[in-house]
C-alpha cells in the first residue's frame, strides 16, 4: 500500500508541474466531505464519482432515488387508495433495488 501511495503522490506532483491542476473547479477550497467513500474501495469510489459526474448512475442508485421519492410521496398522501397504490410501488421498487444491490455485490466479489 505504501508503494501505491508513493505512485499517487508522484502522479500528483507531475500533474502539478505540468499545470494540469490549475483552474479546476473548487480550486483553493477543501475537498467536499464524502464519509460514505471511507467504507468503499478507493477505486470503486473514483469510478462512482466519475460516473456521477458524467451523469451515468448505476441502476441501483437510480432505484434508490426512486424508492426515496415514492416513500416521501406515501408519507404526503392523504387518500387511502393513493397510499395503497404508492405502497405497491414501494414494494416493487424495494424488490428491484434489492436485486440490483445483490447483483452488484455478487459482481464485485
Amino acid at each position: 500500500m505504501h508503494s501505491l501511495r508513493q505512485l499517487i503522490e508522484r502522479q500528483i506532483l507531475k500533474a502539478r508541474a505540468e499545470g494540469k491542476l490549475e483552474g479546476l473547479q473548487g480550486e483553493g477550497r477543501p475537498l467536499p466531505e464524502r464519509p460514505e467513500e471511507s467504507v468503499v474501495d478507493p477505486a470503486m469510489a473514483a469510478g462512482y464519482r466519475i460516473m456521477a459526474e458524467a451523469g451515468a448512475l448505476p441502476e441501483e442508485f437510480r432505484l434508490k432515488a426512486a424508492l426515496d421519492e415514492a416513500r416521501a410521496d406515501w408519507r404526503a398522501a392523504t387518500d387511502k387508495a393513493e397510499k395503497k397504490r404508492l405502497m405497491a410501488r414501494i414494494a416493487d421498487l424495494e424488490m428491484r433495488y434489492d436485486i440490483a444491490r445483490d447483483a452488484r455485490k455478487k459482481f464485485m466479489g
Side-chain angles (χ1 to χ4, degrees):
M1 193 64 150
H2 184 66
S3 62
L4 177 61
R5 185 166 295 180
Q6 287 177 330
L7 174 65
I8 292 168
E9 288 295 327
R10 279 187 292 210
Q11 291 296 320
I12 291 171
L13 291 173
K14 180 182 176 197
R16 184 179 293 152
E18 294 173 353
K20 293 181 179 179
L21 299 179
E22 295 175 10
L24 297 174
Q25 180 182 2
E27 183 176 9
R29 293 184 298 204
L31 291 172
E33 287 292 322
R34 291 193 172 101
E36 69 280 0
E37 290 181 3
S38 64
V39 295
V40 175
D41 172 46
M44 293 295 299
Y48 288 150
R49 186 178 300 168
I50 290 167
M51 288 173 37
E53 289 173 0
L57 290 177
E59 180 71 3
E60 176 185 352
F61 293 178
R62 189 189 64 73
L63 289 167
K64 177 72 169 102
L67 183 56
D68 291 344
E69 183 180 327
R71 287 177 176 152
D73 291 345
W74 180 85
R75 284 190 298 275
T78 56
D79 181 62
K80 191 173 181 177
E82 180 67 8
K83 279 194 169 281
K84 186 176 180 179
R85 185 191 68 75
L86 288 167
M87 187 53 71
R89 172 113 173 101
I90 290 169
D92 176 62
L93 287 168
E94 283 177 340
M95 179 189 65
R96 293 171 50 207
Y97 172 74
D98 288 342
I99 291 169
R101 187 188 62 218
D102 291 346
R104 176 192 46 84
K105 286 180 179 180
K106 186 176 181 180
F107 177 75
M108 295 307 197

